[in-house]
Amino acid sequence: TQLLEQSPQFLSIQEGENLTVYCNSSSVFSSLQWYRQEPGEGPVLLVTVVTGGEVKKLKRLTFQFGDARKDSSLHITAAQPGDTGLYLCAGAVKDSNYQLIWGAGTKLIIKP
Amino acid sequence: NAGVTQTPKFRVLKTGQSMTLLCAQDMNHEYMYWYRQDPGMGLRLIHYSVGEGTTAKGEVPDGYNVSRLKKQNFLLGLESAAPSQTSVYFCASSQGKWRQPQHFGDGTRLSIL
């Protein structure tokens, strides 16, 4: 069974702080996506990373794909209440006919 | 621009009842998916379709059936609902294969008593 583990499962911090969430697996991914989900809504894609070592920035969010394409991280600088949500990573695995493997998510709360 | 629309948004069923969840997308996407989301378990793929008239099993297909008679619609059926099927169900669509971004509906919250 292929697993994609996210950590931490829950994070509550004050506005202005920095944070990093992680997505790890023993599997090699052909690509990895990060989504954000707000209560009562479906996930919305933030970014897709494809190349090992790749770094992508989306305003205050920085996404990194591990060199071996087995892990990824999301770093948020100066978090704001609008960043509150459930962050999900999903990897495409070649051996699974490119089916997406989803992590359980990191629930992030940013307090004003 | 509606994107992906799911109906109904909420439903309560009794064990053994049947129902159909409806999903419609207006983006002309070839691929469509049905997921269930349970606390602490992430999204699990139930069934998917790579085009009109095609369906395939995902990770957790037992107890569910699907149909894709029209490109824009993907239906998920529960023939005999069980309490274990209590969950939030999401439909998604994408332009191409798994690497392409998936566009999600807002979900159907289903409770089986």
Side-chain angles (χ1 to χ4, degrees):
Chain A
T1 301
Q2 291 152 333
L3 293 175
L4 215 168
E5 297 183 350
Q6 288 190 242
S7 62
Q9 290 183 319
F10 179 79
L11 186 59
S12 179
I13 62 173
Q14 293 293 137
E15 180 177 2
E17 294 184 9
N18 301 332
L19 67 105
T20 302
V21 299
Y22 300 93
C23 181
N24 295 287
S25 177
S26 58
S27 301
V28 176
F29 297 110
S30 63
S31 65
L32 193 137
Q33 299 174 343
W34 284 92
Y35 290 79
R36 181 168 68 202
Q37 183 179 17
E38 299 190 17
E41 298 182 5
V44 176
L45 180 72
L46 296 173
V47 75
T48 300
V49 286
V50 177
T51 306
E54 182 176 4
V55 176
K56 282 192 173 180
K57 292 188 176 182
L58 185 65
K59 297 183 180 178
R60 293 175 293 99
L61 279 60
T62 301
F63 303 85
Q64 186 164 3
F65 202 14
D67 292 340
R69 292 184 289 130
K70 293 184 177 182
D71 57 270
S72 182
S73 63
L74 158 60
H75 182 79
I76 301 179
T77 303
Q80 298 179 1
D83 296 326
T84 293
L86 179 68
Y87 288 81
L88 298 160
C89 61
V93 181
K94 190 174 183 179
D95 292 342
S96 296
N97 195 26
Y98 294 100
Q99 177 175 326
L100 281 180
I101 307 299
W102 291 83
T106 293
K107 188 171 183 179
L108 178 62
I109 295 177
I110 311 300
K111 296 176 285 187
Chain B
N1 189 0
V4 178
T5 303
Q6 291 184 235
T7 54
K9 295 187 183 302
F10 304 95
R11 186 74 184 268
V12 178
L13 291 178
K14 294 181 179 180
T15 298
Q17 288 185 318
S18 63
M19 78 162 295
T20 300
L21 279 64
L22 311 179
C23 177
Q25 54 97 1
D26 62 2
M27 296 172 282
N28 202 35
H29 285 168
E30 290 292 337
Y31 288 63
M32 296 188 74
Y33 318 85
W34 275 108
Y35 291 95
R36 59 179 290 173
Q37 186 175 36
D38 301 292
M41 299 188 72
L43 289 165
R44 291 185 291 169
L45 184 65
I46 303 171
H47 286 280
Y48 65 99
S49 169
V50 301
E52 180 179 316
T54 74
T55 63
K57 294 180 180 180
E59 179 187 358
V60 289
D62 294 343
Y64 305 95
N65 57 76
V66 289
S67 64
R68 183 114 180 256
L69 299 180
K70 293 183 179 180
K71 185 177 183 178
Q72 63 267 35
N73 297 334
F74 196 28
L75 309 182
L76 178 70
L78 285 74
E79 291 187 347
S80 180
S84 62
Q85 294 177 305
T86 293
S87 187
V88 182
Y89 291 86
F90 286 98
C91 175
S93 70
S94 67
Q95 181 64 34
K97 288 185 177 179
W98 309 103
R99 185 180 293 191
Q100 297 299 318
Q102 295 191 9
H103 301 260
F104 286 82
D106 286 340
T108 294
R109 188 174 297 274
L110 183 61
S111 294
I112 315 295
L113 304 178

